[in-house]
Amino acid sequence: MSDANFHQLLHPSHWKPAIGYANGVLASGQTIFVGGQVGWNADQVFESDDFVMQVNQALQNIVAILKEANAGPEHIVRLTWYVTDKREYLARLREVGGAYREVLGKHFPAMTMIQVAGLVEDQAKVEIEVTAVIPAV
Protein backbone atom coordinates (compact mmCIF):
# COMPACT_ATOMS: atom_id res chain seq x y z
CA MET A 1 0.00 0.00 0.00
CA SER A 2 1.19 3.52 -0.66
CA ASP A 3 1.60 5.85 2.30
CA ALA A 4 -1.46 7.79 1.08
CA ASN A 5 -3.67 4.66 1.21
CA PHE A 6 -2.35 2.66 4.13
CA HIS A 7 -5.77 2.16 5.66
CA GLN A 8 -9.13 1.17 4.26
CA LEU A 9 -12.41 2.89 5.07
CA LEU A 10 -15.16 0.45 5.99
CA HIS A 11 -18.61 1.43 4.74
CA PRO A 12 -21.36 -1.01 3.71
CA SER A 13 -22.31 -0.25 0.10
CA HIS A 14 -26.03 -0.04 0.86
CA TRP A 15 -25.63 2.55 3.66
CA LYS A 16 -26.17 6.27 3.23
CA PRO A 17 -22.78 8.02 2.71
CA ALA A 18 -20.94 9.17 5.82
CA ILE A 19 -20.11 12.87 5.56
CA GLY A 20 -17.18 14.19 7.57
CA TYR A 21 -16.37 10.85 9.23
CA ALA A 22 -15.88 7.15 8.51
CA ASN A 23 -17.97 4.34 9.98
CA GLY A 24 -14.90 2.15 10.32
CA VAL A 25 -11.22 1.96 9.40
CA LEU A 26 -9.01 -1.06 8.77
CA ALA A 27 -5.31 -0.39 9.43
CA SER A 28 -2.14 -2.23 10.35
CA GLY A 29 1.16 -0.99 11.71
CA GLN A 30 2.35 0.77 14.86
CA THR A 31 -0.48 2.16 16.97
CA ILE A 32 -0.33 5.55 18.67
CA PHE A 33 -2.77 6.37 21.47
CA VAL A 34 -3.13 10.09 22.18
CA GLY A 35 -4.73 10.95 25.50
CA GLY A 36 -7.50 13.53 25.57
CA GLN A 37 -6.32 16.94 24.42
CA VAL A 38 -8.07 20.12 25.51
CA GLY A 39 -7.86 23.60 24.02
CA TRP A 40 -4.92 24.91 25.98
CA ASN A 41 -1.49 25.82 24.67
CA ALA A 42 1.89 24.17 25.37
CA ASP A 43 2.07 26.03 28.70
CA GLN A 44 -1.32 24.57 29.72
CA VAL A 45 -2.99 27.97 29.44
CA PHE A 46 -6.36 28.49 27.78
CA GLU A 47 -6.03 31.43 25.41
CA SER A 48 -9.77 31.54 24.72
CA ASP A 49 -13.13 30.46 26.09
CA ASP A 50 -14.46 30.26 22.52
CA PHE A 51 -15.55 26.72 21.62
CA VAL A 52 -14.17 26.72 18.05
CA MET A 53 -10.84 28.22 19.13
CA GLN A 54 -10.53 25.49 21.77
CA VAL A 55 -11.29 22.84 19.11
CA ASN A 56 -8.58 24.32 16.88
CA GLN A 57 -6.02 24.31 19.71
CA ALA A 58 -6.90 20.76 20.80
CA LEU A 59 -6.41 19.57 17.20
CA GLN A 60 -3.07 21.42 16.98
CA ASN A 61 -2.01 19.70 20.21
CA ILE A 62 -2.88 16.32 18.67
CA VAL A 63 -0.79 17.07 15.58
CA ALA A 64 2.17 18.08 17.79
CA ILE A 65 1.98 14.78 19.70
CA LEU A 66 1.69 12.74 16.48
CA LYS A 67 4.75 14.55 15.12
CA GLU A 68 6.76 13.11 18.04
CA ALA A 69 6.18 9.66 16.46
CA ASN A 70 6.88 10.93 12.91
CA ALA A 71 3.16 10.69 12.21
CA GLY A 72 0.63 13.16 10.93
CA PRO A 73 -3.13 13.68 10.63
CA GLU A 74 -3.29 11.17 7.77
CA HIS A 75 -2.40 8.42 10.26
CA ILE A 76 -5.42 9.07 12.50
CA VAL A 77 -7.91 6.21 12.40
CA ARG A 78 -10.23 7.25 15.26
CA LEU A 79 -11.19 10.40 17.15
CA THR A 80 -13.40 10.57 20.23
CA TRP A 81 -14.74 14.03 21.03
CA TYR A 82 -16.05 14.94 24.48
CA VAL A 83 -18.00 18.21 24.50
CA THR A 84 -19.73 19.99 27.34
CA ASP A 85 -22.49 21.43 25.13
CA LYS A 86 -23.70 19.46 22.11
CA ARG A 87 -25.99 22.34 21.11
CA GLU A 88 -23.00 24.65 20.71
CA TYR A 89 -21.17 21.93 18.77
CA LEU A 90 -24.13 21.49 16.41
CA ALA A 91 -24.81 25.24 16.10
CA ARG A 92 -21.18 25.88 15.16
CA LEU A 93 -20.60 22.74 13.11
CA ARG A 94 -19.59 24.69 10.00
CA GLU A 95 -16.94 26.59 11.99
CA VAL A 96 -15.80 23.39 13.70
CA GLY A 97 -15.47 21.78 10.26
CA GLY A 98 -13.39 24.73 9.08
CA ALA A 99 -11.05 24.45 12.06
CA TYR A 100 -10.85 20.68 11.55
CA ARG A 101 -9.91 20.98 7.86
CA GLU A 102 -7.42 23.77 8.64
CA VAL A 103 -5.51 21.55 11.08
CA LEU A 104 -6.18 17.97 9.92
CA GLY A 105 -7.01 18.49 6.25
CA LYS A 106 -9.61 16.45 4.41
CA HIS A 107 -8.96 13.26 6.36
CA PHE A 108 -12.07 11.85 8.02
CA PRO A 109 -11.46 8.80 10.25
CA ALA A 110 -13.98 7.01 12.46
CA MET A 111 -15.36 9.51 14.98
CA THR A 112 -17.57 9.60 18.04
CA MET A 113 -18.89 12.71 19.81
CA ILE A 114 -20.14 12.49 23.39
CA GLN A 115 -21.69 15.23 25.52
CA VAL A 116 -20.38 15.18 29.08
CA ALA A 117 -21.41 17.05 32.21
CA GLY A 118 -17.91 18.43 32.59
CA LEU A 119 -14.22 17.88 31.93
CA VAL A 120 -11.36 17.75 34.42
CA GLU A 121 -10.18 21.18 33.31
CA ASP A 122 -13.09 23.49 34.23
CA GLN A 123 -12.34 25.96 31.43
CA ALA A 124 -12.29 23.21 28.76
CA LYS A 125 -15.29 22.96 26.45
CA VAL A 126 -13.90 20.07 24.38
CA GLU A 127 -11.47 17.19 24.84
CA ILE A 128 -10.40 14.97 21.94
CA GLU A 129 -8.59 11.65 22.08
CA VAL A 130 -7.04 9.92 19.09
CA THR A 131 -5.88 6.55 17.86
CA ALA A 132 -3.45 6.67 14.95
CA VAL A 133 -1.65 3.92 13.02
CA ILE A 134 1.69 4.33 11.28
CA PRO A 135 1.79 1.85 8.39
CA ALA A 136 3.94 -1.25 8.67
CA VAL A 137 7.15 -0.95 6.67
Side-chain angles (χ1 to χ4, degrees):
M1 272 184 265
S2 73
D3 194 41
N5 290 324
F6 67 89
H7 57 77
Q8 175 186 349
L9 299 182
L10 305 174
H11 187 84
S13 62
H14 62 284
W15 284 18
K16 182 178 177 179
I19 299 173
Y21 65 95
N23 284 300
V25 178
L26 174 64
S28 64
Q30 292 184 297
T31 306
I32 303 166
F33 301 95
V34 178
Q37 296 300 304
V38 295
W40 62 18
N41 64 24
D43 293 320
Q44 298 181 351
V45 174
F46 287 92
E47 295 177 2
S48 176
D49 287 325
D50 179 74
F51 179 74
V52 175
M53 290 183 75
Q54 285 195 17
V55 165
N56 186 290
Q57 183 63 59
L59 294 172
Q60 287 181 46
N61 295 345
I62 289 164
V63 170
I65 293 166
L66 291 175
K67 189 174 179 181
E68 291 295 308
N70 295 315
E74 69 276 13
H75 297 109
I76 297 172
V77 295
R78 179 175 181 79
L79 292 118
T80 303
W81 299 58
Y82 301 92
V83 300
T84 57
D85 185 348
K86 75 174 186 178
R87 294 191 197 293
E88 183 170 20
Y89 171 86
L90 292 171
R92 300 190 66 194
L93 197 52
R94 185 176 295 272
E95 294 169 87
V96 168
Y100 180 98
R101 287 185 303 279
E102 176 186 321
V103 180
L104 300 184
K106 291 187 176 185
H107 174 68
F108 304 107
M111 292 189 219
T112 301
M113 194 275 291
I114 303 164
Q115 178 175 292
V116 295
L119 297 164
V120 171
E121 296 300 326
D122 289 333
Q123 198 172 347
K125 294 184 173 191
V126 61
E127 185 167 338
I128 306 169
E129 59 183 19
V130 167
T131 304
V133 178
I134 300 172
V137 180

